[in-house]
Amino acid sequence: MLAAGGFESNIEWLREAWGRNERGEWPADNFLIRGTRFNQGVLLKHLLDDHGADRIGDPTQAHMVAIDARAPLYDGGICTRIDCVSLGVVVNREARRFYDEGEDFWPKRYAIWGRLVAQQPGQVGYSIIDSKAIGRFMPPVFPGVKADTLPELALQLGLDVETFMRTLQDYNAACRVGSFDHTQLDACHTEGVLPAKTHWARPIDTAPFYGYALKPGITFTYLGLRTDDTAAVRFGGVPSDNLFVAGEMMAGNVLGKGYTAGVGMSIGTAFGRIAGTNAARAALQQGVEQHAGA
Ligand SMILES: Cc1cc2nc3c(=O)[nH]c(=O)nc-3n(C[C@H](O)[C@H](O)[C@H](O)COP(=O)(O)OP(=O)(O)OC[C@H]3O[C@@H](n4cnc5c(N)ncnc54)[C@H](O)[C@@H]3O)c2cc1C
């Protein structure tokens, strides 16, 4: 029974999968791994390359979170996640916004922000909030950069002040504030700015201001072994009668892109039980056959 996780800790494999981007960068060089360093995908590669097991999923697709750029390369865990994205704006290294920060509830969107940051120059982003956001999100382990004015914040973050101020002024002027409610897809939205912010759009205007540098934090990869409801590994479309797989090694079966909170553990739990039951049944059957043959 195989349950050795994805290949998210294998930077070389991620590098190969992501390749170079149009700016000549290797995006995977700037990824941080949120969990163990031991998920190198050794067994996954062995099954795919050496045994020709059937595969499913895109090797570049993964659960990827925007995490604090100061997080360690491995094992940063949950406390380095930056959860204030939907309460403010996110800009790239050029001080420009690049995606709707209020598209949907945070548990439905947090796992795409790592990928969005991975597509930006230098694979870096900056989450910007003002004091109205404080107390409304899980505080990360490292404090944010704090400033009393927006130009000062841009300076501290190393961003071009003029572009940053234009981005923030355009955004602030575009906010159509209704009744703010972070527990609902509320009516606070922008008009006349691209990209739009479709919910929870309030001007960033109340000091002190905070900024967090973001990097892509990879939680687990989606490339996996193709299987079915028996959790059997398949070779040339034929299910194995004694090799079963569970968890991230077959998660690509379920997740195309994006995420729903809790699915990671659910995949491991549900398919772990199925794979374990079927592996025990296969072992029992093999034992019966061996006994009958003796
Ligand atoms: C920071 C973080 C937060 C998360 N939060 C959530 C959450 O809130 N909800 C949720 O549902 N999911 C969450 N997940 C995802 C969840 O932890 C995984 O989806 C789940 O653990 C996958 O289970 P698995 O058994 O497939 O792999 P893993 O739990 O990764 O286990 C794989 C094991 O195999 C071992 N291994 C790897 N290669 C080899 C080898 N060659 N030989 C022997 N052993 C090997 C590894 O050391 C590891 O112990 C989170 C993950 C991280 C990193």
Side-chain angles (χ1 to χ4, degrees):
M1 205 187 125
L2 301 162
F7 68 94
E8 61 275 5
S9 321
N10 189 330
I11 307 267
E12 265 312 303
W13 192 348
L14 291 171
R15 214 170 186 258
E16 191 186 302
W18 278 74
R20 257 186 217 270
N21 64 18
E22 65 286 357
R23 289 178 291 272
E25 303 163 325
W26 294 89
D29 287 354
N30 285 317
F31 293 177
L32 301 171
I33 315 330
R34 300 181 65 220
T36 174
R37 68 182 65 232
F38 298 115
N39 282 356
Q40 296 283 335
V42 173
L43 284 168
L44 182 61
K45 200 175 238 332
H46 180 57
L47 264 289
L48 292 174
D49 293 357
D50 303 337
H51 291 280
D54 296 348
R55 71 175 63 207
I56 191 160
D58 172 354
T60 73
Q61 278 296 346
H63 184 286
M64 286 179 83
V65 182
I67 63 170
D68 195 306
R70 296 163 291 185
L73 179 57
Y74 295 104
D75 276 325
I78 291 176
C79 62
T80 57
R81 216 170 66 192
I82 302 294
D83 280 353
C84 52
V85 164
S86 60
L87 292 162
V89 295
V90 178
V91 298
N92 61 16
R93 196 172 68 182
E94 288 154 4
R96 295 197 167 89
R97 290 179 59 240
F98 51 89
Y99 199 80
D100 177 1
E101 300 89 348
E103 188 176 48
D104 209 336
F105 293 113
W106 191 232
K108 287 164 84 177
R109 282 295 168 273
Y110 78 102
I112 69 166
W113 271 88
R115 193 178 187 80
L116 293 170
V117 171
Q119 289 158 347
Q120 300 307 308
Q123 294 71 57
V124 67
Y126 299 86
S127 177
I128 311 294
I129 53 169
D130 70 4
S131 61
K132 297 196 293 298
I134 299 300
R136 295 185 179 274
F137 65 98
M138 181 181 80
V141 68
F142 302 122
V145 168
K146 185 176 172 187
D148 288 329
T149 67
L150 285 169
E152 203 187 307
L153 187 72
L155 271 178
Q156 284 196 52
L157 293 172
L159 297 170
D160 180 73
V161 176
E162 205 178 305
T163 317
F164 181 80
M165 288 312 296
R166 206 176 319 123
T167 299
L168 269 286
Q169 279 155 4
D170 288 352
Y171 165 79
N172 283 352
C175 287
R176 300 289 174 268
V177 181
S179 172
F180 175 83
D181 186 349
H182 203 216
T183 66
Q184 290 187 35
L185 294 174
D186 73 6
C188 300
H189 67 284
T190 58
E191 273 174 23
V193 72
L194 285 176
K197 183 172 178 187
T198 48
H199 304 98
W200 313 300
R202 291 196 291 181
I204 296 173
D205 58 5
T206 312
F209 303 97
Y210 300 85
Y212 295 89
L214 307 170
K215 266 189 169 188
I218 183 158
T219 321
F220 58 90
T221 47
Y222 291 176
L223 174 73
L225 301 174
R226 184 182 282 271
T227 183
D228 55 25
D229 59 359
T230 67
V233 180
R234 300 168 83 96
F235 297 87
V238 180
S240 167
D241 53 15
N242 64 359
L243 187 61
F244 301 88
V245 60
E248 290 163 7
M249 282 188 82
M250 42 70 76
N253 257 358
V254 185
L255 296 157
K257 52 184 176 179
Y259 191 61
T260 307
V263 165
M265 298 303 288
S266 306
I267 291 167
T269 310
F271 282 94
R273 191 167 194 276
I274 295 168
T277 305
N278 288 338
R281 191 173 292 132
L284 197 64
Q285 181 65 27
Q286 214 164 327
V288 169
E289 283 165 13
Q290 272 170 6
H291 187 71

